Amino acid sequence: MAAEPILRLSGVSRAYKEIDRELVILKDADFTLKRGEMVALVAPSGAGKSTLLHTAGLLERPDHGDVFLNGRSCSELGEGERTAIRRNDIGFVYQFHHLLPEFSALENVMMPQLIRGLPKAAAASRAQQLLDYMKVGKRASHRPAELSGGEQQRVAIARAVANAPLVLLADEPTGNLDPHTSSYVFEALEALVRQSGLSALIATHNHELARRMDRRVTLQDGKVIDV
């Protein structure tokens, strides 16, 4: 019997009400992410990539259908349980780093661990290890404003995996960077995913980066299809 996918969307629909109409983004969409798999989500702007990621990451509830994480149905869970899953089992990376400006790189990566309840010393040790792995360890004491765009994004990636999540969801993680820096940051992200055995769904407009992943999917008429 095949192993249960780490992430599965089953018959997911999501629509937004506008003044005079309903805008359908997802319509009975199905998607599976296997353990250790790295999938590229490529689609035009406005096609619904962010909605798919937000639904998969339990930031939004589907109007219909269900989201399963590690075999567990999530759509009917209360907000407290959904928040705990997002904190412990799902890592998020966005186009903009969203680092806390008043804290150092090290403190930013420590933060999700402290919220989870890890002792400060243990959180600091893991944060430094992740920053070293992402090749920004020497910048650990610097605040975000003192870092380059590529460094900021590598710190953001380290923060996203600080709690050793099951799934990493990334929304245009290199979209705000120049081509050279984009490639460098993606190499670091890819190495981290492969080495840790993470499962990752990464939305990108960069087809060169998309071709380096295990497979590519897109959104068409509200459904997720392979390309």
Side-chain angles (χ1 to χ4, degrees):
M1 182 182 293
E4 174 76 23
I6 197 69
L7 175 68
R8 179 164 66 91
L9 275 64
S10 177
V12 167
S13 296
R14 189 76 176 95
Y16 301 97
K17 296 189 186 304
E18 296 188 337
I19 294 174
D20 57 351
R21 63 172 182 150
E22 185 176 66
L23 183 62
V24 177
I25 305 297
L26 302 174
K27 185 176 182 181
D28 295 323
D30 297 318
F31 171 73
T32 58
L33 180 66
K34 299 175 185 176
R35 296 173 189 275
E37 188 178 35
M38 197 171 187
V39 175
L41 173 59
V42 291
S45 295
K49 296 191 299 296
S50 294
T51 297
L52 178 64
L53 289 170
H54 289 172
T55 304
L58 309 186
L59 291 168
E60 296 184 25
R61 290 184 183 270
D63 300 321
H64 304 286
D66 205 347
V67 177
F68 296 85
L69 184 66
N70 202 21
R72 182 186 186 187
S73 170
C74 297
S75 291
E76 298 303 321
L77 296 178
E79 284 306 318
E81 292 174 293
R82 290 167 66 88
T83 298
I85 290 172
R86 288 195 300 269
R87 181 178 64 236
N88 300 329
D89 297 329
I90 303 173
F92 296 92
V93 181
Y94 299 97
Q95 180 173 349
F96 300 100
H97 57 80
H98 296 300
L99 298 172
L100 298 172
E102 67 271 29
F103 294 103
S104 69
L106 184 75
E107 290 167 336
N108 266 280
V109 181
M110 288 173 63
M111 197 66 64
Q113 302 176 75
L114 296 175
I115 292 171
R116 188 174 185 174
L118 263 69
K120 188 174 182 180
S125 176
R126 175 163 172 77
Q128 186 63 57
Q129 289 175 354
L130 287 167
L131 291 174
D132 288 340
Y133 189 89
M134 297 301 291
K135 297 183 171 59
V136 284
K138 292 181 179 179
R139 309 286 278 168
S141 64
H142 290 68
R143 294 185 179 185
E146 301 171 309
L147 304 174
S148 70
E151 288 170 338
Q152 291 169 344
Q153 202 63 336
R154 279 180 278 157
V155 173
I157 292 167
R159 180 183 59 182
V161 301
N163 280 338
L166 299 173
V167 173
L168 180 69
L169 302 174
D171 196 352
E172 297 288 350
T174 64
N176 200 37
L177 305 172
D178 64 78
H180 175 74
T181 305
S182 173
S183 179
Y184 187 77
V185 169
F186 182 80
E187 285 177 7
L189 172 60
E190 182 179 24
L192 182 63
V193 169
R194 301 299 189 192
Q195 289 293 324
S196 64
L198 259 173
S199 305
L201 175 61
I202 301 174
T204 180
H205 280 106
N206 189 320
H207 289 273
E208 180 182 344
L209 297 184
R211 283 192 290 270
R212 292 163 60 174
M213 300 189 221
D214 297 317
R215 62 187 175 99
R216 288 166 287 165
V217 298
T218 191
L219 286 163
Q220 184 175 304
D221 298 326
K223 299 185 183 300
V224 183
I225 61 171
D226 288 297
V227 292

